[in-house]
Each structure stands twice: as structure tokens, then as C-alpha cells.
Amino acid sequence: MSGNLKRSLHALGAKTTYEKSLLKATYHGDNDPPKEKHVQTVLWTLQGQNMQTPPEVAFSLLTQQLLTSSWATLLKAFIILHRGIEQVGTGYSARLAELNISMQNFNDPSERGSAHNQIIQDYYVFIRSKALNHSRKGSIMLVQQTDLHKSIEKMSDTDLIKEIGYLLTELQNLVKLGPSLSQAIRNYQLRVTQNAAFLVLKDATPLYRVISLVLDRMVDRFFALDRQMAEIAMEHYKRFETCTRMLSQFFELAHHLPFSGLSPPTFVNRPREIVASMRSYISDQPEHVPGTEKAPDIPEDLHMSPSELEEQRRMLEEYERQHNKRVEEEKKRNPPPPSQSKQEVPAKQDDDLIFQEIVPPSATKTDPKADFVMSAFNQPATNPGNPNDPNAMMNPMMNPMMNPMMNPMMTGMMMNPMMNPMMNPFMTGMMMNPMVNPMMTGMMMNPAMQTGQPAVKSNLDPLSQPVGNAVPDKKNNPFNRASTGANPYGPPKNQGGYPVNAGSSLDNLFTQPAPQRSANPFETSNPAPNPFGGPSPQASNPFGTQQPKGNAPRDPFSDLI
């Protein structure tokens, strides 16, 4: 409630509904993501559905929130901009791609701001690259899923390589967010950071699948390309392999997010012979000889020459090496337990780094308790009879000497009391010691089974009672407090106590009318009958046993003496 009050005070000077929702959605005083109702109000206004605020004014007010020094306001504004790319339309995406605000020098000196400075810089670059791919004319991202294969087949070689370049730029900017987001989420666990990471990972799967389809088509056409186009295609292929490996590591962050529905794409480990074949084909192509024929120029819409693409790929690989180096240094400062330590793999260079095996992210979390339980059944076989066996005492669950249930024929019968007739009287009819089971002997413990003597009925022996009433004698019932007129657990009689009805049956316990007490105004003198009550005492005895009368006190244990 205090957070909502602070947001309301922050938006107190808003003139329109859109401004109020925008100020509340980008409030810098908390670490929560913007509320859905405020985000939808902003996006509806950008679509032109708010007659009070035009879309141009709404976009201008939203971009003004980027001119701040608060990392929380910027990250929340980026979340709204990110969600509007696919929801608002291509005109909005084009305006966002042309946005000229520099974020490379952003610096928030606060503690949490310093952990999010790199996230702010990389997130802004990724949003602009995605907006460009969703606003370009002829972009493959604007094609429906059902027409995707047909659109790829219709592309020319130049358009195909150009489309791969745009898509790989977006994927490259996406995977660069992985290290900074992972570090911030593991250290602070802020909900707004988790929301941003969820949106980024949600875009990664469809983007990777589209690039994989276009790249496979490029490989099929590779050996029909000229030399310059083939060099560009080979650099695109190397960049894709590097981004694939980094994206696989990025999806490990999904286990630390409180959201569901994030499924990584299927990562394919392509053989390195593909690049070797590409290099062999390029080397066999004739080079341009100056003065004879003019070499075909690289189309301007490709933007980058083979040398520029190679330099960009090397920068991406260097970025990955530096990140792996920081991770190794952190592991050295905080070494894991010996049980979790793994063999270090030396860093690979050049093509070995590109075609390093891609490890898919783990689908489920491992349960250490389940591993501990299952480890008991994975121990080597033991020989309990051999005292020199080192594994005899390692696994108590698989050792018959320690687990009596594993060995029905035990050398020591005292190990399992349930299998020992001396301890379990119901296992044998010929008892070794009849004193152990008083129910099986009539000469010592049970007077009712003695021969030549009249059976003495006991108040505590159910076999000596007549059928139909286990305890017919009210005055001999040791659990009947009302028979003696004393209440050992409550106040004395006639002093506000609640006496318990006498008798051997509890059917009428809740059917007796309560005593008149004027202190309780909610009780009536004539309570309604209990529909769940039992029958009357006369009808509750079908065998007609007569209840003894008399109130003379008697020792209930006198029959046992």
C-alpha cells in the first residue's frame, strides 16, 4: 500500500490519464516492474486509441523519460518500448529505430545503478536493432509463420545474405546482454531486472529459429556465389556459431527467473568441415585482376565488406573470451566445493573457439536430496562375511548386517524382533515362555480360563460381559465421573460446572437440554432437538439388558485382587 501511495504522489501533477499511467509505470522509487494496467494504457495511447493524447505526443513523452540519470526509470521505460515493438505497429518501430539518444556514457553511481549500467547500454542497442528488423520493408520478421519457407525460397542471393546480416546483428546484441543480466539477477534478485531478462529470452527462441532457417538456405546456395559474396557468407556463418554458443549459456539464467514458459531452441552442433569446405571453395575462385574486368561491387544495402564483418566477428569472440576470463577469475576467488569442481578446459582459439561443442541448457534443476538417496543404490557390491571388504560398511542400505529387512535368514534372531517368536507371541502357537503372552495362558494371567473354578466377571474384561453391552455397570465404570458425584477435572458440583450424563452410552451426551443460565442471552429455555442425536437409552439396547441400580461407591479394581 505504501508503494501505491508513493506512485500516486509521484503522478500527482499529471494532466492526463496517459501522463499519470506513464509516471506510475516509470516510477524510480521501487524495484518492481511496471504494472500491467499502466503498460497497457501507454501502449493503447501509442496505437491511437486515446482521444485525449495523440500518438506523437505520447511517443515524445515516453522518450523524454530516457533523459534521466535513474537506472530504474530507464529500465522500466525500456521494458515499455520493448513490448511496444510487436504490439503497436511498424510506424512505431520505425520511429524507435531512428531514435538518436546516446546511452554509451550512462552512469548511475549508486550501488544497484552500477550493477545495471551495462544492462542499460546493451538493452538500448538491442531494442533499436529489433525495431529496425520489425520496420524494414521486406523483413523476414514481418512474414507470417505459415509463409516463412516460401518467402525464404523466393529471396535472391543478395537479399538472403543481407537478411542474415540484419538478423545476426540483432542476435549479437541480444547475447551481449547475458553476462550483465546474469550477474545482476544473481546478486540482487530484483523483480524489474527479472522482467527485463524474461522479455529478452522470450525473443531469443523465435529469432534463433528464423536465422537457422535462413542460414541453412544460404549454405545450400553457397557454392554458387562469387568470391566476395562467399566471403561475406562465411563470416555470417562464423558469427552465427559464436552467437549460438553464447545463447546456450544465456538460457541457463531461466532457472533463476520466477516465470514459466521459457523454452530454449534446439541447438545443433554443426561440423567444422563446413567452414573448411567454404575456405576451399573461396580459394579456388579466381581473384580480380586489375585492368581487365571490373569486379562486381558489393551492394550498398549489405552495409559491410568482408573485412568489416570479420572485424566485427573477432570483436564478438574477444568479448566472449573476456567474459570467460572474468568467470574463471571469479571461480578462483570463490572456489566451488570439491564435489562440484569440474575439470578445467583450456581456452580455444580461432576456429576451435567457433566450433566448440554447444552444451544445451539443463532442462530441469537437479535435486541434491534425490541424488543422495539414489547414491545408496549405486554403491559397489559388498560382502558382509568378509571383514577385509572395504565396501562392507560403506553402504548401510545394501548391507544385510545393517538392514534386517534385506536378510530373512539372519544369524542373530534378535536383530529383527518381528521375526523372533520370543518377541512376537503371534508367530507361534507353542510359546517358549507363556508368561510373555497373557492372552494365551489360562492358568496364570487370565482367571476366566481356569478350569474347576467359577468364572469371575471383571469390569475390565470384555470377554466376561454380556453381549450387547461391554460395560453395563455404571457405578463400576472407572471412566464415569457422574456415578460418584465427583468431578476431578472441573469445579465442584452446583458451582457453574457442566456435569456429564451418567451411563455407559454416549448417544445422549449432546441431546440433553442445557441448564438454565440467565447470563447467556443467546440461549433459549427450550432448545431445538438435535437431528443428529441418537435414540433414547431404552431403545439403544436391543438385547434388553437390565441396568443395575444403586449409587453405592465401589473400588473398580477390586475384582482383580
Side-chain angles (χ1 to χ4, degrees), residues 295-318:
D297 296 332
I298 300 177
E300 296 180 358
D301 50 6
L302 289 179
H303 298 295
M304 294 185 181
S305 63
S307 59
E308 293 175 342
L309 291 173
E310 183 180 0
E311 183 66 25
Q312 188 175 9
R313 178 184 58 82
R314 289 179 179 178
M315 291 175 60
L316 182 63
E317 293 177 0
E318 183 65 26

mmCIF file of all heavy atoms in Angstrom, residues 295-318:
data_model
loop_
_atom_site.group_PDB
_atom_site.id
_atom_site.type_symbol
_atom_site.label_atom_id
_atom_site.label_comp_id
_atom_site.label_asym_id
_atom_site.label_seq_id
_atom_site.Cartn_x
_atom_site.Cartn_y
_atom_site.Cartn_z
ATOM 1 N N ALA A 295 35.566 -5.634 -61.090
ATOM 2 C CA ALA A 295 34.995 -6.580 -60.140
ATOM 3 C C ALA A 295 33.618 -6.100 -59.716
ATOM 4 O O ALA A 295 33.369 -4.903 -59.606
ATOM 5 C CB ALA A 295 35.896 -6.709 -58.908
ATOM 6 N N PRO A 296 32.727 -7.046 -59.545
ATOM 7 C CA PRO A 296 31.380 -6.646 -59.092
ATOM 8 C C PRO A 296 31.441 -6.047 -57.694
ATOM 9 O O PRO A 296 32.027 -6.623 -56.775
ATOM 10 C CB PRO A 296 30.601 -7.971 -59.095
ATOM 11 C CG PRO A 296 31.637 -9.035 -59.000
ATOM 12 C CD PRO A 296 32.859 -8.507 -59.678
ATOM 13 N N ASP A 297 30.898 -4.859 -57.596
ATOM 14 C CA ASP A 297 30.909 -4.179 -56.302
ATOM 15 C C ASP A 297 29.924 -4.836 -55.343
ATOM 16 O O ASP A 297 28.916 -5.410 -55.747
ATOM 17 C CB ASP A 297 30.534 -2.702 -56.479
ATOM 18 C CG ASP A 297 31.574 -1.958 -57.313
ATOM 19 O OD1 ASP A 297 32.747 -2.389 -57.284
ATOM 20 O OD2 ASP A 297 31.185 -0.984 -57.998
ATOM 21 N N ILE A 298 30.246 -4.717 -54.061
ATOM 22 C CA ILE A 298 29.342 -5.224 -53.031
ATOM 23 C C ILE A 298 28.133 -4.307 -52.966
ATOM 24 O O ILE A 298 28.293 -3.087 -52.943
ATOM 25 C CB ILE A 298 30.054 -5.286 -51.671
ATOM 26 C CG1 ILE A 298 31.265 -6.225 -51.776
ATOM 27 C CG2 ILE A 298 29.123 -5.725 -50.567
ATOM 28 C CD1 ILE A 298 32.073 -6.290 -50.519
ATOM 29 N N PRO A 299 26.953 -4.850 -52.982
ATOM 30 C CA PRO A 299 25.764 -3.977 -52.912
ATOM 31 C C PRO A 299 25.801 -3.097 -51.669
ATOM 32 O O PRO A 299 26.282 -3.498 -50.607
ATOM 33 C CB PRO A 299 24.600 -4.984 -52.861
ATOM 34 C CG PRO A 299 25.153 -6.233 -53.474
ATOM 35 C CD PRO A 299 26.598 -6.264 -53.117
ATOM 36 N N GLU A 300 25.307 -1.873 -51.860
ATOM 37 C CA GLU A 300 25.347 -0.917 -50.762
ATOM 38 C C GLU A 300 24.453 -1.329 -49.601
ATOM 39 O O GLU A 300 24.719 -0.963 -48.460
ATOM 40 C CB GLU A 300 24.942 0.470 -51.270
ATOM 41 C CG GLU A 300 25.909 1.048 -52.302
ATOM 42 C CD GLU A 300 25.454 2.416 -52.763
ATOM 43 O OE1 GLU A 300 24.372 2.859 -52.292
ATOM 44 O OE2 GLU A 300 26.167 3.046 -53.563
ATOM 45 N N ASP A 301 23.384 -2.083 -49.889
ATOM 46 C CA ASP A 301 22.483 -2.441 -48.811
ATOM 47 C C ASP A 301 23.056 -3.527 -47.900
ATOM 48 O O ASP A 301 22.455 -3.860 -46.881
ATOM 49 C CB ASP A 301 21.134 -2.900 -49.365
ATOM 50 C CG ASP A 301 21.286 -3.960 -50.447
ATOM 51 O OD1 ASP A 301 22.424 -4.406 -50.666
ATOM 52 O OD2 ASP A 301 20.268 -4.324 -51.060
ATOM 53 N N LEU A 302 24.199 -4.115 -48.262
ATOM 54 C CA LEU A 302 24.847 -5.055 -47.343
ATOM 55 C C LEU A 302 25.590 -4.338 -46.228
ATOM 56 O O LEU A 302 25.916 -4.948 -45.211
ATOM 57 C CB LEU A 302 25.827 -5.954 -48.118
ATOM 58 C CG LEU A 302 25.178 -6.994 -49.031
ATOM 59 C CD1 LEU A 302 26.253 -7.791 -49.745
ATOM 60 C CD2 LEU A 302 24.275 -7.908 -48.245
ATOM 61 N N HIS A 303 25.915 -3.087 -46.415
ATOM 62 C CA HIS A 303 26.471 -2.210 -45.385
ATOM 63 C C HIS A 303 27.905 -2.536 -45.021
ATOM 64 O O HIS A 303 28.690 -1.637 -44.724
ATOM 65 C CB HIS A 303 25.625 -2.247 -44.105
ATOM 66 C CG HIS A 303 24.231 -1.756 -44.311
ATOM 67 N ND1 HIS A 303 23.935 -0.469 -44.654
ATOM 68 C CD2 HIS A 303 23.036 -2.417 -44.235
ATOM 69 C CE1 HIS A 303 22.614 -0.324 -44.771
ATOM 70 N NE2 HIS A 303 22.053 -1.494 -44.529
ATOM 71 N N MET A 304 28.314 -3.766 -45.002
ATOM 72 C CA MET A 304 29.641 -4.135 -44.507
ATOM 73 C C MET A 304 30.358 -4.977 -45.539
ATOM 74 O O MET A 304 29.773 -5.847 -46.185
ATOM 75 C CB MET A 304 29.538 -4.926 -43.196
ATOM 76 C CG MET A 304 28.993 -4.121 -42.018
ATOM 77 S SD MET A 304 29.041 -5.072 -40.471
ATOM 78 C CE MET A 304 28.317 -3.873 -39.357
ATOM 79 N N SER A 305 31.655 -4.726 -45.655
ATOM 80 C CA SER A 305 32.506 -5.528 -46.521
ATOM 81 C C SER A 305 32.965 -6.776 -45.768
ATOM 82 O O SER A 305 32.784 -6.885 -44.556
ATOM 83 C CB SER A 305 33.716 -4.693 -46.957
ATOM 84 O OG SER A 305 34.493 -4.341 -45.819
ATOM 85 N N PRO A 306 33.573 -7.743 -46.461
ATOM 86 C CA PRO A 306 34.059 -8.933 -45.751
ATOM 87 C C PRO A 306 35.049 -8.616 -44.641
ATOM 88 O O PRO A 306 35.040 -9.264 -43.580
ATOM 89 C CB PRO A 306 34.697 -9.765 -46.869
ATOM 90 C CG PRO A 306 33.982 -9.339 -48.104
ATOM 91 C CD PRO A 306 33.676 -7.883 -47.918
ATOM 92 N N SER A 307 35.910 -7.625 -44.853
ATOM 93 C CA SER A 307 36.874 -7.279 -43.804
ATOM 94 C C SER A 307 36.174 -6.685 -42.577
ATOM 95 O O SER A 307 36.536 -6.973 -41.432
ATOM 96 C CB SER A 307 37.907 -6.287 -44.352
ATOM 97 O OG SER A 307 37.266 -5.108 -44.821
ATOM 98 N N GLU A 308 35.143 -5.859 -42.809
ATOM 99 C CA GLU A 308 34.410 -5.283 -41.672
ATOM 100 C C GLU A 308 33.626 -6.352 -40.908
ATOM 101 O O GLU A 308 33.564 -6.330 -39.674
ATOM 102 C CB GLU A 308 33.454 -4.196 -42.177
ATOM 103 C CG GLU A 308 34.163 -2.973 -42.740
ATOM 104 C CD GLU A 308 33.191 -1.977 -43.335
ATOM 105 O OE1 GLU A 308 32.036 -2.365 -43.613
ATOM 106 O OE2 GLU A 308 33.590 -0.818 -43.524
ATOM 107 N N LEU A 309 33.056 -7.297 -41.634
ATOM 108 C CA LEU A 309 32.352 -8.379 -40.969
ATOM 109 C C LEU A 309 33.311 -9.259 -40.175
ATOM 110 O O LEU A 309 32.993 -9.715 -39.069
ATOM 111 C CB LEU A 309 31.598 -9.223 -42.001
ATOM 112 C CG LEU A 309 30.401 -8.546 -42.678
ATOM 113 C CD1 LEU A 309 29.854 -9.428 -43.784
ATOM 114 C CD2 LEU A 309 29.324 -8.244 -41.650
ATOM 115 N N GLU A 310 34.480 -9.496 -40.721
ATOM 116 C CA GLU A 310 35.465 -10.290 -39.995
ATOM 117 C C GLU A 310 35.925 -9.572 -38.725
ATOM 118 O O GLU A 310 36.106 -10.188 -37.675
ATOM 119 C CB GLU A 310 36.657 -10.587 -40.901
ATOM 120 C CG GLU A 310 37.702 -11.482 -40.254
ATOM 121 C CD GLU A 310 38.861 -11.753 -41.197
ATOM 122 O OE1 GLU A 310 38.821 -11.243 -42.341
ATOM 123 O OE2 GLU A 310 39.777 -12.483 -40.785
ATOM 124 N N GLU A 311 36.096 -8.258 -38.817
ATOM 125 C CA GLU A 311 36.485 -7.495 -37.639
ATOM 126 C C GLU A 311 35.381 -7.521 -36.571
ATOM 127 O O GLU A 311 35.664 -7.644 -35.375
ATOM 128 C CB GLU A 311 36.794 -6.051 -38.042
ATOM 129 C CG GLU A 311 37.292 -5.172 -36.906
ATOM 130 C CD GLU A 311 38.648 -5.619 -36.385
ATOM 131 O OE1 GLU A 311 39.407 -6.263 -37.149
ATOM 132 O OE2 GLU A 311 38.940 -5.318 -35.217
ATOM 133 N N GLN A 312 34.134 -7.437 -37.026
ATOM 134 C CA GLN A 312 33.028 -7.498 -36.072
ATOM 135 C C GLN A 312 32.955 -8.881 -35.414
ATOM 136 O O GLN A 312 32.675 -8.995 -34.218
ATOM 137 C CB GLN A 312 31.713 -7.180 -36.786
ATOM 138 C CG GLN A 312 30.523 -7.034 -35.841
ATOM 139 C CD GLN A 312 29.279 -6.603 -36.575
ATOM 140 O OE1 GLN A 312 29.259 -6.577 -37.797
ATOM 141 N NE2 GLN A 312 28.240 -6.285 -35.832
ATOM 142 N N ARG A 313 33.187 -9.923 -36.169
ATOM 143 C CA ARG A 313 33.172 -11.265 -35.589
ATOM 144 C C ARG A 313 34.304 -11.440 -34.587
ATOM 145 O O ARG A 313 34.121 -12.047 -33.519
ATOM 146 C CB ARG A 313 33.288 -12.313 -36.706
ATOM 147 C CG ARG A 313 33.327 -13.745 -36.193
ATOM 148 C CD ARG A 313 33.536 -14.713 -37.338
ATOM 149 N NE ARG A 313 34.751 -14.456 -38.078
ATOM 150 C CZ ARG A 313 35.964 -14.870 -37.711
ATOM 151 N NH1 ARG A 313 36.123 -15.534 -36.585
ATOM 152 N NH2 ARG A 313 37.018 -14.611 -38.461
ATOM 153 N N ARG A 314 35.471 -10.903 -34.886
ATOM 154 C CA ARG A 314 36.591 -11.008 -33.950
ATOM 155 C C ARG A 314 36.313 -10.236 -32.670
ATOM 156 O O ARG A 314 36.708 -10.677 -31.569
ATOM 157 C CB ARG A 314 37.866 -10.502 -34.621
ATOM 158 C CG ARG A 314 38.395 -11.429 -35.718
ATOM 159 C CD ARG A 314 39.653 -10.860 -36.353
ATOM 160 N NE ARG A 314 40.173 -11.758 -37.381
ATOM 161 C CZ ARG A 314 41.240 -11.489 -38.126
ATOM 162 N NH1 ARG A 314 41.891 -10.325 -37.981
ATOM 163 N NH2 ARG A 314 41.644 -12.356 -39.035
ATOM 164 N N MET A 315 35.630 -9.113 -32.782
ATOM 165 C CA MET A 315 35.257 -8.368 -31.578
ATOM 166 C C MET A 315 34.279 -9.163 -30.716
ATOM 167 O O MET A 315 34.375 -9.174 -29.479
ATOM 168 C CB MET A 315 34.643 -7.019 -31.975
ATOM 169 C CG MET A 315 35.623 -6.033 -32.584
ATOM 170 S SD MET A 315 34.811 -4.517 -33.167
ATOM 171 C CE MET A 315 34.097 -3.932 -31.635
ATOM 172 N N LEU A 316 33.349 -9.865 -31.354
ATOM 173 C CA LEU A 316 32.411 -10.697 -30.599
ATOM 174 C C LEU A 316 33.126 -11.847 -29.902
ATOM 175 O O LEU A 316 32.839 -12.166 -28.739
ATOM 176 C CB LEU A 316 31.337 -11.227 -31.552
ATOM 177 C CG LEU A 316 30.229 -12.083 -30.916
ATOM 178 C CD1 LEU A 316 29.442 -11.271 -29.914
ATOM 179 C CD2 LEU A 316 29.301 -12.639 -31.998
ATOM 180 N N GLU A 317 34.070 -12.475 -30.588
ATOM 181 C CA GLU A 317 34.828 -13.557 -29.963
ATOM 182 C C GLU A 317 35.705 -13.038 -28.827
ATOM 183 O O GLU A 317 35.872 -13.706 -27.802
ATOM 184 C CB GLU A 317 35.674 -14.269 -31.016
ATOM 185 C CG GLU A 317 34.849 -15.019 -32.053
ATOM 186 C CD GLU A 317 35.723 -15.654 -33.114
ATOM 187 O OE1 GLU A 317 36.971 -15.487 -33.010
ATOM 188 O OE2 GLU A 317 35.180 -16.309 -34.023
ATOM 189 N N GLU A 318 36.276 -11.852 -29.004
ATOM 190 C CA GLU A 318 37.077 -11.259 -27.930
ATOM 191 C C GLU A 318 36.200 -10.928 -26.723
ATOM 192 O O GLU A 318 36.618 -11.089 -25.569
ATOM 193 C CB GLU A 318 37.782 -10.012 -28.443
ATOM 194 C CG GLU A 318 38.708 -9.352 -27.434
ATOM 195 C CD GLU A 318 39.883 -10.239 -27.065
ATOM 196 O OE1 GLU A 318 40.262 -11.108 -27.889
ATOM 197 O OE2 GLU A 318 40.422 -10.062 -25.950
#
